[in-house]
Amino acid sequence: MDNALYAWGKLPKSTCEEAQVGPNDRAGAKRYIAGVMQCLESTWEQHFSASGAQFQEAKLKFAGGSYCELEPRYDSDSVYCHPNHTVVYKLGKSWLTDPSDLWLMYNTATRYAQHIQELVLIIHSVDVEAFYDSQAERFERLRRYRLQSNCLAGAFVKSVWPLEGRSARAWKYLQAMLVGDVPGRPRAYGKTANLKLWTKRGFATGDPGSCNTWKAPASEVS
């Protein structure tokens, strides 16, 4: 699948100051995520403007329960809510116990990437049931969509790298945290090796053009 996004070049280089957040610091984590959202808005707005494309900001909401497909069985979760263009977070113990790594930045960038996929109409490749000849095709499209958002997140992190106080070790540690589809569950996110492959690819290039999962071989989106 072709899209204008792939021809716009690398994301603009900039700085992104991480807010301080300590263990079990919900207010600090909210400030951190809000700060990363501002960096994402600035980076992507510049990228759209330089390419002559129309940009729209995303909203940020902190919620609980099952708001807009938040997973109720998890104490922490995040989603991009398409109907109201909102990145939604549920923050619980599992993500707040030790938020010293890059997880919250990477996760926010992944959700924001889904906002970008909506703005450039990539979302239309996965949100219409008529596209699916089978469940297998449906899940393959979901994997291509979600692995692309991981790649775009990697490209964003590269655009603000190096981060003050962070070393290459922090990026490598993030790679070790990434986990894909669990055996026995629907194959909707991609296996761990491919999740890491696309995240690393985005970071290596800093270019959304390297994130065209739609033309990748099936082995890279399994």
Side-chain angles (χ1 to χ4, degrees):
M1 181 181 70
D2 293 320
N3 191 279
L5 176 67
Y6 307 137
W8 293 352
K10 294 183 178 182
L11 292 177
K13 294 290 290 184
S14 64
T15 58
C16 184
E17 185 176 346
E18 295 181 274
Q20 295 296 314
V21 51
N24 302 311
D25 181 3
R26 189 182 306 275
K30 289 182 177 181
R31 287 192 298 271
Y32 181 96
I33 293 168
V36 172
M37 280 283 291
Q38 290 180 350
C39 296
L40 285 157
E41 302 267 60
S42 175
T43 294
W44 282 106
E45 183 174 19
Q46 289 181 60
H47 198 53
F48 271 58
S49 296
S51 305
Q54 186 174 0
F55 179 77
Q56 177 182 343
E57 293 185 349
K59 302 171 186 175
L60 174 64
K61 180 180 178 63
F62 296 97
S66 56
Y67 180 88
C68 195
E69 299 185 356
L70 284 172
E71 182 59 70
R73 60 182 170 161
Y74 300 144
D75 77 328
S76 302
D77 194 19
S78 66
V79 296
Y80 175 66
C81 191
H82 292 277
N84 55 12
H85 311 292
T86 303
V87 173
V88 185
Y89 265 90
K90 177 169 64 171
L91 294 172
K93 185 176 180 180
S94 60
W95 286 4
L96 293 176
T97 300
D98 182 11
S100 62
D101 50 54
L102 283 172
W103 170 250
L104 287 179
M105 173 175 282
Y106 170 77
N107 186 270
T108 307
T110 300
R111 295 293 166 259
Y112 198 90
Q114 293 171 346
H115 175 63
I116 299 303
Q117 288 169 298
E118 180 166 284
L119 294 184
V120 299
L121 305 182
I122 288 173
I123 184 60
H124 291 329
S125 294
V126 293
D127 69 349
V128 180
E129 288 294 334
F131 276 105
Y132 308 137
D133 293 329
S134 65
Q135 278 290 86
E137 181 188 357
R138 175 174 180 266
F139 281 118
E140 180 178 325
R141 285 179 179 269
L142 281 172
R143 293 195 302 274
R144 289 183 186 273
Y145 166 71
R146 287 167 171 163
L147 288 168
Q148 182 173 61
S149 67
N150 296 127
C151 183
L152 294 172
F156 166 74
V157 176
K158 181 60 175 287
S159 78
V160 297
W161 196 267
L163 291 161
E164 185 176 356
R166 300 280 193 184
S167 67
R169 181 180 299 177
W171 178 249
K172 291 180 180 179
Y173 184 68
L174 174 67
Q175 303 307 305
M177 296 176 66
L178 301 179
V179 178
D181 290 328
V182 177
R185 298 289 304 279
R187 296 173 52 239
Y189 293 91
K191 62 185 182 181
T192 298
N194 284 334
L195 177 54
K196 293 181 178 182
L197 181 152
W198 286 102
T199 300
K200 290 178 180 178
R201 185 170 293 173
F203 184 80
T205 65
D207 186 346
S210 69
C211 297
N212 190 354
T213 55
W214 304 97
K215 288 190 173 181
S219 61
E220 291 188 355
V221 294
S222 60

